Amino acid sequence: MGRAVEEPRPMPLLPVQELAGAGDDVPARYVARATNDAEAVAAAAPVPVIDVGLLCQLQPRGESATAEAARLRTALESWGLFLVANHGIEAPLMDAVMEASRGFFRQPLEEKQRYTNMADGEHFQLEGYGNDRVASEGQVLDWCDRLYLKVEPQDERNLPLWPTRLRGVLQEFTAECTKLKDRLLPEMAKLLELDDDYFGDQFGDKADTHARFSYYPPCPRPDLVFGLKPHSDGSFVTLLMVDSSVGGLQVLRDGVWYDVPTRPRTLLINLGDQMEIMSNGIFRSPVHRVVTNAEKERLSVALFYSVDPEREIQPAGKLVDENHQALYKKVKIKEYVAGLFEHFSQGKMVIDTARI
Ligand SMILES: O=C(O)CCC(=O)C(=O)O
Ligand SMILES: [Fe+2]
């Protein structure tokens, strides 16, 4: 019906890695802020470290488990993210994922282009290697290349886009992270006095997991350019493994940007918008960003766990009554996720569309 609207043609971009080292200036399209845009940055965020071993003690629970649960509650209500200790994922596996990722990005461009996210050289697709989708000339770009892959449902994996060196480790790492997520979600449900399975059950039969390997090359103008612009994750929950030696992730709280500390083999849990909606805003999906570094490259690996796109979510019924009105509308995941890019590229937050 009606006229076909012509989509703006995406303009193929050079990977940022190819721009890095080309001088002291950056192309104007990457400039996100003015030099005098001084926002307060606290030294380091006192982001809680949660010991999963203590938290998930079997019954009867000791005092230490209760104390850990209280700390988890504070973490989820105030920061929306926490560092995980005692997570059970073996150090050699974490190192192998980082090394495989580093190895991938270190390859010559032609090799990486075999996995490009520009089908036929011009049609942007979500999966693969490259940059963000470019929708307009005015869009501010991120100083970051990435490889984005659908990991679950397993039968929807697009294996030709999985670099050989990453296949085994990604499979293994996802399996371990999924176990961790499945241990943590019941603990989060308990904090809200929901059934242990409440969150797990929300995922549905075709829960959707994506992996994002991000590579942030050194940038000559960290004062002007973001590795990743401010956003909150559209996921249910995100597991994030960040570079042990280079910081850059910052989280916004009460109008202040805090540096998220790095620890050796850091694993972070970051709540996404779907959790904020289901918890009726009790748990936060934090706004975060990545700043660039003039000297050092930085890598991160994120796993985004998301509800089956065909399902709808809304604040848990038990959390809504005459004294606690629903703060979010019912949203269809497919539509919500479709709105993510558009909002992100315009510097807006898609969760604002779900608020009542
Ligand atoms: O690289 C990081 O530390 C954060 C990445 C991130 O926020 C994302 O991929 O959504
Ligand atoms: Fe994020």
Side-chain angles (χ1 to χ4, degrees), residues 212 214 216 228 231 233 240 242 249 288 290 298 300 302 304:
R212 175 175 165 140
S214 301
Y216 306 90
L228 202 53
H231 66 282
D233 290 354
L240 187 63
V242 299
L249 178 62
H288 53 285
V290 177
R298 177 176 181 274
S300 71
F304 301 99

Side-chain angles (χ1 to χ4, degrees), residues 60-170:
R61 293 191 151 189
E63 256 174 53
S64 51
T66 313
E68 212 58 15
R71 282 155 43 72
L72 178 65
R73 179 175 198 112
T74 311
L76 303 182
E77 290 179 357
S78 59
W79 294 102
L81 63 88
F82 59 92
L83 294 163
V84 198
N86 214 348
H87 45 63
I89 304 180
E90 302 283 344
L93 176 59
M94 295 180 83
D95 292 347
V97 175
M98 274 297 186
E99 276 321 300
S101 175
R102 207 178 292 279
F104 173 77
F105 287 106
R106 283 210 173 134
Q107 295 176 107
L109 180 59
E110 306 78 68
E111 187 57 33
K112 289 176 286 195
Q113 291 288 22
R114 290 174 48 199
Y115 309 96
T116 181
N117 61 9
M118 297 297 281
D120 311 323
E122 55 176 329
H123 300 289
F124 178 88
Q125 56 186 22
L126 219 48
E127 281 189 87
Y129 162 76
N131 312 73
D132 276 328
R133 175 150 67 107
V134 180
S136 72
E137 291 283 351
Q139 183 183 330
V140 177
L141 304 178
D142 292 318
W143 196 261
C144 170
D145 298 327
R146 48 75 204 264
L147 174 69
Y148 193 66
L149 299 171
K150 183 183 254 192
V151 183
E152 281 156 357
Q154 290 209 18
D155 58 355
E156 291 179 21
R157 288 180 184 178
N158 186 354
L159 287 177
L161 287 180
W162 289 44
T164 322
R165 68 172 73 221
L166 278 166
R167 281 187 194 185
V169 284
L170 178 56

Side-chain angles (χ1 to χ4, degrees), residues 180-207:
L180 178 61
K181 171 208 65 143
D182 290 342
R183 288 174 77 195
L184 286 168
L185 286 179
E187 302 305 321
M188 297 184 190
K190 278 192 190 98
L191 295 175
L192 300 176
E193 293 174 18
L194 300 172
D195 293 341
D196 283 13
D197 297 337
Y198 185 81
F199 290 131
D201 287 349
Q202 297 296 314
F203 278 101
D205 295 335
K206 286 202 164 269

